[in-house]
Amino acid sequence: MKGASQYAMKQNKSKKMERFEGSLKSQATKELAVLKVKQSLVSGLGAVGMYFILARLYSNEVVAKLPFEPHWMLAKVAHRGLKLPEANDCAVTFIYVLCQTGIRMNLQQFLMWGPSRKMQAMSSWQQVASEEK
């Protein structure tokens, strides 16, 4: 009789621990989501603001000469804002897009705007655990 009641108490404690761990994981996931939203908002506003500043400073000016003639889809971006551009002229928009795609992730890591590696690992582990259920 005592053995059965002790076994039931252990099972009850383990269920409570599982529920507690689940609530901690969900709370951490919520905090991580809020952090990602804030980081994305600040990063996006900074990028848009920087684009408008650069576009005003370098409007109608050839910023660079490309060593190639861009494809017609890229040519529209490369020549945006230029009056009567030559085939290999480059506007500030093209340079900005190239820099934005290449530098954004490194800048976020350098400024430590993203979540810590522990939080990322826990989040990815939690996703795997929830997929298994």
Side-chain angles (χ1 to χ4, degrees):
M1 182 93 162
K2 284 187 178 181
S5 66
Q6 287 178 347
Y7 179 72
M9 287 177 58
K10 284 183 182 180
Q11 280 187 332
N12 194 16
K13 284 184 182 181
S14 68
K15 286 182 183 179
K16 285 182 182 180
M17 286 297 288
E18 287 176 8
R19 278 188 252 137
F20 181 69
E21 287 174 357
S23 68
L24 281 179
K25 289 176 188 175
S26 66
Q27 183 180 4
T29 303
K30 288 177 186 176
E31 291 175 3
L32 182 63
V34 169
L35 180 67
K36 285 182 178 180
V37 167
K38 286 180 183 179
Q39 178 266 327
S40 295
L41 184 65
V42 169
S43 179
L45 290 175
V48 169
M50 184 59 80
Y51 173 74
F52 282 122
I53 290 170
L54 291 174
R56 284 190 182 168
L57 287 174
Y58 295 103
S59 64
N60 298 325
E61 290 186 33
V62 176
V63 177
K65 289 278 192 181
L66 299 173
F68 58 91
E69 289 186 26
H71 190 266
W72 66 271
M73 288 173 72
L74 289 177
K76 290 183 179 185
V77 176
H79 299 151
R80 183 182 172 115
L82 297 178
K83 294 180 180 176
L84 303 172
E86 293 179 17
N88 57 351
D89 284 349
C90 180
V92 71
T93 304
F94 188 68
I95 300 295
Y96 181 79
V97 168
L98 288 177
C99 290
Q100 191 67 12
T101 56
I103 295 175
R104 173 180 261 172
M105 187 59 93
N106 293 331
L107 183 63
Q108 288 174 355
Q109 287 179 354
F110 178 73
L111 295 175
M112 292 182 231
W113 283 352
S116 68
R117 290 184 182 176
K118 271 187 177 178
M119 290 289 282
Q120 286 177 341
M122 187 176 73
S123 176
S124 63
W125 175 81
Q126 183 179 1
Q127 290 172 355
V128 169
S130 65
E131 289 174 0
E132 290 176 357
K133 290 181 180 180

